[in-house]
Amino acid sequence: MDERNQFMQEAIALSKQGMLNNDGGPFGCVVVKDGLIVGRGWNKVTSTNDPTAHAEVTAIRDACANMGTFQLDGCEIYTSCEPCPMCMGAIYWARPSRVFYANTREDAANIGFDDSLIYRELTLPLKERKIAIYCIGRDEAIKVFEEWTAKADRTDY
C-alpha cells in the first residue's frame, strides 16, 4: 500500500473510531507533513456540543497545536469525506498544499449529512438567505479595523 493510501486508511479508521465512541458522525481526518502525521481529528459535534467540531477542523486544530503554528504550509490533509463548506473554509485559512478525500458529498447526503442547502445559500445575496443577516455597528467596528491597519506589531496571516 502506498503512503497516501496509508494516510487515508488512518483517516477512515478515525472516522470509524469516533462513530463507535459516539463522539459524532462518521468522519475522520489526518494532517501530514513531510511523510508524518502531525494532526488527527474526527467528528466530535455531538460529544462536545460544538457544531464546528468536524473532523477536518479538529485535525487542523491538533496539527497547529502540535506544530506551534497557525498555518499548515507544506502539509497535506487526508479526510474520509469531501469537506463541507465550513471545513473547506478552514482548510483554505490553514493553507495546506493539497487535500485528499474518500467519500463524496453525495455519499454524505445519502446518510443524512446533506450540505446542499449551505452550498446554495452561499451563492445567494444576503437578503435572500434563509437566515436573516443584518449589518449593524459598523461605525464603531471599522475603527478597530483602522487600528489593526496601523498596528506596527501585528502578525499578518
Side-chain angles (χ1 to χ4, degrees):
M1 181 182 305
D2 73 25
E3 191 175 68
R4 286 188 176 151
N5 283 325
Q6 288 177 357
F7 295 136
M8 185 57 74
Q9 290 305 309
E10 177 66 14
I12 293 167
L14 290 170
S15 75
K16 186 172 182 176
Q17 173 191 322
M19 176 192 68
L20 293 175
N21 290 342
N22 291 320
D23 289 337
F27 305 96
C29 182
V30 295
V31 178
V32 175
K33 175 129 182 163
D34 299 327
L36 298 173
I37 294 176
V38 295
R40 287 178 169 80
W42 55 92
N43 186 290
K44 298 178 182 178
V45 170
T46 58
S47 61
T48 62
N49 294 320
D50 179 356
T52 69
H54 288 199
E56 296 87 345
V57 172
T58 61
I60 289 168
R61 289 174 180 164
D62 187 49
C64 288
N66 290 335
M67 295 191 314
T69 183
F70 54 84
Q71 293 189 327
L72 300 177
D73 298 326
C75 291
E76 296 178 337
I77 292 179
Y78 294 79
T79 182
S80 67
C81 188
E82 182 178 353
C84 75
M86 177 188 70
C87 292
M88 279 308 303
I91 288 167
Y92 273 96
W93 280 118
R95 296 181 175 95
S97 299
R98 59 185 61 90
V99 176
F100 300 93
Y101 67 92
N103 291 320
T104 67
R105 69 172 85 166
E106 292 81 11
D107 296 329
N110 288 338
I111 64 162
F113 295 92
D114 188 354
D115 297 323
S116 60
L117 169 70
I118 300 169
Y119 283 105
R120 281 193 307 275
E121 286 284 302
L122 291 175
T123 65
L124 295 174
L126 294 178
K127 292 181 180 181
E128 294 178 28
R129 294 184 184 177
K130 292 189 182 301
I131 297 176
I133 300 175
Y134 304 96
C135 180
I136 63 172
R138 184 173 179 271
D139 290 343
E140 289 301 312
I142 199 71
K143 292 175 186 173
V144 179
F145 276 16
E146 291 165 355
E147 287 180 39
W148 170 260
T149 301
K151 188 173 176 9
D153 64 343
R154 72 176 188 249
T155 300
D156 290 322
Y157 58 98

